Amino acid sequence: MKTIGVVGAGQMGSGIAQVAAVSGYSVLLYDAFPGVAEKSAQRMKASLDKLLAKGKLDQEKHDFAVDAVKVVEDLADVAQADLVVEAAVEDVGLKKELFSALDKLATPDVILASNTSSISLTEIASATSRPDKVIGMHFFNPAPVMKLLEVVKGYLTSQETIDTILEVGKQMGKVTVVAVDKAGFIVNRILDPMLNEAIFLLEEGVGTAEDIDNGMKFGCNHPMGPLALTDLIGLDVLLAVMEVLYREYGDSKYRPAPLLKKMVRAGKLGKKTGEGFFKY
C-alpha cells in the first residue's frame, strides 16, 4: 500500500488526504468540481506549515507531505491508487454511481473505501464487481486531529480487506474500531440521536443553547456541547444521518427534530455558513 486516492476534496476529504500524506503515503486528490481540489491542497499546505511552525511536525515529514499530494482532474487518475477513499456527500445514489465508475476504472486488487457515516456499505458495494474489497473508513472531523478510525465491514467484505485497512489505520496513527454494517455503525448510532435530542430540547424551550451545551460540558464532561458540535459537523450532515437512521430502523426515536429541518432549509448550517445554533 503506497498510494491512496481521495475522491472529494471538501472538509473531510482534504483532512483524510493530509492524514495519509503525513503518514507516508502518496496521495491522489480528486474533486468533481473544478478548482476545489487545488484550493484544498493549498489549505492543506497552510495547515502543514502551521504544524511545522508549532513543532508538531518535523521538516522531513512536512516536506514529504507537501510533495506527496497530487491533484488530479480525472476519476480515472485517482483510480490508479492502491486504495481509494470516497469522501463525497451523504447521498447513496451518488456514492453508488462513484463506486460503479471506480470499479470499472481500477484494477481488481484495488480496495474501495467510503467515509460514509451512516449509509450501508453493503448497498454501496452492490454497485461493484468487488464487494469483498469494499469497506468503510469513517474518519472523524477534523481528520488530522481526531484519533478514531471506524472500520465498517459490509456483508461481503473479506477479512483480508479488513486486515489491510486496520494496518493502514495503524500506519496513520489512528485508534481503530470495527463495526458491522448497520446504519450509524457504532459512534453515530449513539452520538447523532443525542445531538438531535439537544435540538428537540432547544425547540421545546427546555433550555437556551448555552444552557444545553453547558449542561453536557460540565455535567457529563463533554469537551464540546451538542449544539456547538452540530454546528461544527454541519446541520445538513446531521439531518442526512438522522434521515438514514429513521428510514433504516423505522423507529420514531430517530425522527429528525423539526427545528433541524427548518434551519437546514434556511441555510443556517453551522460554522461553514457563519451561523447555526451560534454565530461565527
Side-chain angles (χ1 to χ4, degrees):
M1 191 70 66
K2 294 180 179 179
T3 305
I4 294 178
V6 179
V7 177
Q11 189 172 20
M12 285 307 303
S14 61
I16 294 166
Q18 181 174 321
V19 169
V22 170
S23 303
Y25 295 102
S26 296
V27 178
L28 301 173
L29 182 62
Y30 167 82
D31 197 282
F33 293 94
V36 171
E38 287 83 355
K39 289 179 180 177
S40 175
Q42 291 168 9
R43 289 195 303 272
M44 205 182 310
K45 184 181 182 304
S47 174
L48 292 167
D49 289 346
K50 286 181 181 178
L51 291 172
L52 176 66
K54 292 178 179 179
K56 295 183 178 180
L57 197 65
D58 63 39
Q59 190 71 52
E60 185 179 354
K61 280 192 173 183
H62 168 275
D63 294 347
F64 176 88
V66 169
D67 293 337
V69 180
K70 179 183 178 184
V71 172
V72 296
E73 298 181 357
D74 197 294
L75 197 62
D77 294 327
V78 81
Q80 303 309 306
D82 304 306
L83 162 66
V84 180
V85 183
E86 167 270 317
V89 295
E90 287 289 89
D91 181 304
V92 65
L94 174 62
K95 289 184 188 294
K96 289 176 74 172
E97 185 180 320
L98 276 171
F99 272 72
S100 177
L102 288 165
D103 181 50
K104 293 177 177 68
L105 294 167
T107 57
D109 58 326
V110 174
I111 294 174
L112 304 179
S114 176
N115 183 56
T116 180
S117 57
S118 61
I119 295 171
S120 168
L121 268 299
T122 303
E123 183 171 357
I124 292 172
S126 71
T128 76
S129 62
R130 65 184 85 197
D132 60 313
K133 291 188 177 295
V134 175
I135 195 165
M137 291 182 73
H138 181 206
F139 291 82
F140 291 78
N141 188 31
V145 176
M146 300 297 284
K147 293 290 290 182
L148 186 67
L149 172 63
E150 193 173 35
V151 177
V152 185
K153 55 181 179 180
Y155 185 62
L156 298 174
T157 305
S158 70
Q159 189 59 49
E160 181 183 4
T161 298
I162 296 167
D163 292 341
T164 300
I165 296 307
L166 288 174
E167 187 59 37
V168 171
K170 182 180 178 182
Q171 176 72 19
M172 290 179 171
K174 298 296 186 184
V175 174
T176 55
V177 296
V178 178
V180 172
D181 184 24
K182 295 201 70 168
F185 318 132
I186 294 173
V187 177
N188 279 347
R189 177 87 177 266
I190 297 169
L191 173 65
D192 287 3
M194 183 197 77
L195 303 182
N196 191 54
E197 191 64 25
I199 300 169
F200 270 115
L201 289 174
L202 181 65
E203 187 170 13
E204 294 167 15
V206 177
T208 65
E210 291 80 3
D211 285 343
I212 291 166
D213 273 16
N214 282 336
M216 296 306 291
K217 283 166 65 178
F218 300 107
C220 298
N221 207 27
H222 289 193
M224 180 181 287
L227 298 175
L229 180 55
T230 300
D231 279 352
L232 177 63
I233 293 168
L235 277 71
D236 54 333
V237 176
L238 176 62
L239 177 59
V241 175
M242 292 308 302
E243 286 176 335
V244 169
L245 294 176
Y246 189 35
R247 183 170 63 249
E248 286 290 319
Y249 295 115
D251 192 324
S252 61
K253 72 180 181 180
Y254 298 117
R255 178 173 65 97
L259 178 59
L260 175 61
K261 289 184 175 181
K262 189 182 298 184
M263 291 180 69
V264 170
R265 288 168 183 161
K268 296 184 185 298
L269 308 182
K271 289 194 76 172
K272 60 188 171 186
T273 60
E275 184 177 354
F277 297 106
F278 301 96
K279 290 187 177 181
Y280 301 90

